[in-house]
Amino acid sequence: MSSTEFLEGLKNEFPGAITKIDIGYGQKFAEFSSNAAASIFNVCSTNERGRFDLLEDLLAYDSGDDIVLVYNLYSTLLNHRVILKTSLHRKEPSILTATTVWLAALSYEKEIAELFGVRFKNHTTEIPFLLPKDWQGFPMRKDYVYPGGYSGIAHGSGVERRKR
Amino acid sequence: MAFVFSRLDDLATWAQTHSLSFLFLDLSCCGIEMMHTTGGRYDLERFGAVQVASPKQADLMIVAGSISYKYAETLKKNYEQMCDPKWVMAIGSCAGSGGMFEGEFSYSTVSGVDKILPVDVYVPGCPPRPEAIMHGLLTLQKGIVKCRAQNSWKDSKTSSPEL
């Protein structure tokens, strides 16, 4: 239960930044505002009751209104985990990179930057990871419109399919 | 004399159809079936088809699996490096028509290798069994014989896409 204590402590330390604490599905969630990302990442990795030294997963989803980032943190020293969530405006989503604290975030952030258009400040590289270099748009967003084609190849077979 | 030359031509046809060296592009799960076909149990090599590592040595390109837009350029470059006469086999639904990734189902997948290259034989299936792939190769061999009989494989290929 030490991660619950840790989250309570975090909320007392950053009363404005931590907006919500939730326990459900056997997991502990905390929602934080993206402005306080730097200090929250540092506290999570260094705090005596937290000591989250492993970023297990960093994922993103489009909720329709916002782009939501989900950080799954695990402490190999204290054997507990916590899930941090933050919502970013879909017009210009940007957040500080987590690579300075957890290096594992490097390729996750590259992928999210490409597929969701999130800008990670102070990220080391901006080389495209999965998509071609001149790809337009962010494919994993809900308002993404499929391309008519790419480099002279028309998209689709031109055969009408039955609507789902 | 004409008889001798026609017999020689038959010999050359037989040699060409039974010494196809193929470049195998394993792009997704159909590749596993293709590996199985070249393996010990099904043994594609008994039909004279042998896998080569470089497109410069190959005269048949076997495309097995879904093609992403990012890979399409590489595929074209590989095809251009092959020497004439050259043939292309599309294995599986994805290489044939895009399959389950066609059109609205994926933003990044080419709807069939025939959008990029001229295809000679399509082998349908998701994935096709090794017997089907073998049948595809035998169909191609028959097609090569037919084209050589017309003595203009290139013209016949450009005028009608099916052999």
Side-chain angles (χ1 to χ4, degrees):
Chain A
M1 291 304 284
S2 57
S3 58
T4 319
E5 290 165 24
F6 167 74
L7 282 183
E8 294 297 336
L10 201 66
K11 195 174 184 181
N12 294 335
E13 201 171 338
F14 304 103
I18 301 285
T19 50
K20 193 179 167 190
I21 287 180
D22 192 14
I23 297 172
Y25 311 106
Q27 301 286 351
K28 289 103 187 170
F29 299 91
E31 287 180 20
F32 69 99
S33 85
S34 57
N35 301 327
S39 44
I40 284 176
F41 291 158
N42 271 324
V43 168
C44 284
S45 63
T46 54
N47 188 298
E48 275 304 303
R49 281 185 295 181
R51 299 178 84 179
F52 293 102
D53 53 349
L54 179 65
L55 180 74
E56 278 193 324
D57 200 358
L58 167 54
L59 50 105
Y61 65 90
D62 187 351
S63 71
D65 304 322
D66 298 319
I67 308 291
V68 184
L69 297 186
V70 186
Y71 295 80
N72 293 10
L73 301 179
Y74 177 65
S75 169
T76 56
L77 304 161
L78 304 175
N79 189 23
H80 63 148
R81 63 188 79 212
V82 72
I83 295 173
L84 300 179
K85 285 169 122 180
T86 183
S87 298
L88 309 173
H89 292 294
R90 62 183 306 126
K91 272 207 169 166
E92 278 187 5
S94 73
I95 190 171
L96 195 84
T97 179
T99 47
T100 46
V101 184
W102 302 287
L103 196 62
L106 191 74
S107 43
Y108 293 127
E109 285 184 356
K110 272 187 187 177
E111 208 174 312
I112 291 168
E114 250 185 289
L115 299 178
F116 287 92
V118 177
R119 201 171 74 81
F120 289 94
K121 280 174 257 175
N122 300 340
H123 195 276
T124 50
T125 174
E126 306 225 331
I127 299 167
F129 189 37
L130 299 170
L131 298 173
K133 277 175 190 165
D134 54 345
W135 194 266
Q136 298 292 316
F138 308 112
M140 287 293 153
R141 286 200 185 187
K142 280 187 175 169
D143 55 359
Y144 179 67
V145 183
Y146 280 16
Y150 177 74
S151 73
I153 308 162
H155 187 71
S157 61
V159 180
E160 282 276 321
R161 285 216 187 191
R162 199 176 58 193
K163 289 282 173 215
R164 279 172 294 173
Chain B
M1 203 62 190
F3 175 76
V4 173
F5 277 117
S6 71
R7 291 291 94 190
L8 266 178
D9 205 49
D10 280 356
L11 182 71
T13 308
W14 174 81
Q16 188 169 24
T17 51
H18 290 81
S19 65
L20 289 169
S21 36
F22 64 87
L23 177 71
F24 170 41
L25 292 164
D26 166 17
L27 305 178
S28 58
C29 42
C30 283
I32 305 292
E33 291 297 314
M34 190 60 215
M35 287 169 208
H36 199 185
T37 316
T38 51
R41 184 176 284 264
Y42 290 96
D43 197 14
L44 200 67
E45 208 168 322
R46 67 200 153 107
F47 301 114
V50 67
Q51 189 177 354
V52 290
S54 160
K56 289 169 188 174
Q57 301 166 329
D59 45 18
L60 165 64
M61 178 188 258
I62 295 183
V63 185
S66 53
I67 307 130
S68 65
Y69 284 119
K70 198 176 178 181
Y71 192 71
E73 284 297 313
T74 318
L75 198 68
K76 262 192 245 174
K77 272 181 203 161
N78 271 306
Y79 182 73
E80 281 158 12
Q81 282 180 58
M82 285 162 64
C83 297
D84 278 340
K86 52 192 172 184
W87 296 275
V88 179
M89 242 171 103
I91 291 191
S93 300
C94 295
S97 69
M100 60 185 284
F101 303 109
E102 180 268 332
E104 62 183 290
F105 298 103
S106 171
Y107 60 89
S108 61
T109 309
V110 181
S111 298
V113 69
D114 53 2
K115 295 255 173 198
I116 317 166
L117 311 174
V119 180
D120 296 300
V121 175
Y122 297 88
V123 182
C126 187
R129 283 189 60 84
E131 288 92 337
I133 298 174
M134 274 154 36
H135 183 248
L137 187 87
L138 294 175
T139 310
L140 181 75
Q141 287 180 344
K142 277 180 201 159
I144 295 169
V145 172
K146 209 191 274 180
C147 286
R148 278 188 68 101
Q150 290 168 0
N151 206 14
S152 58
W153 65 271
K154 206 163 188 180
D155 295 343
S156 66
K157 199 170 178 181
T158 45
S159 59
S160 64
E162 63 272 10
L163 284 165

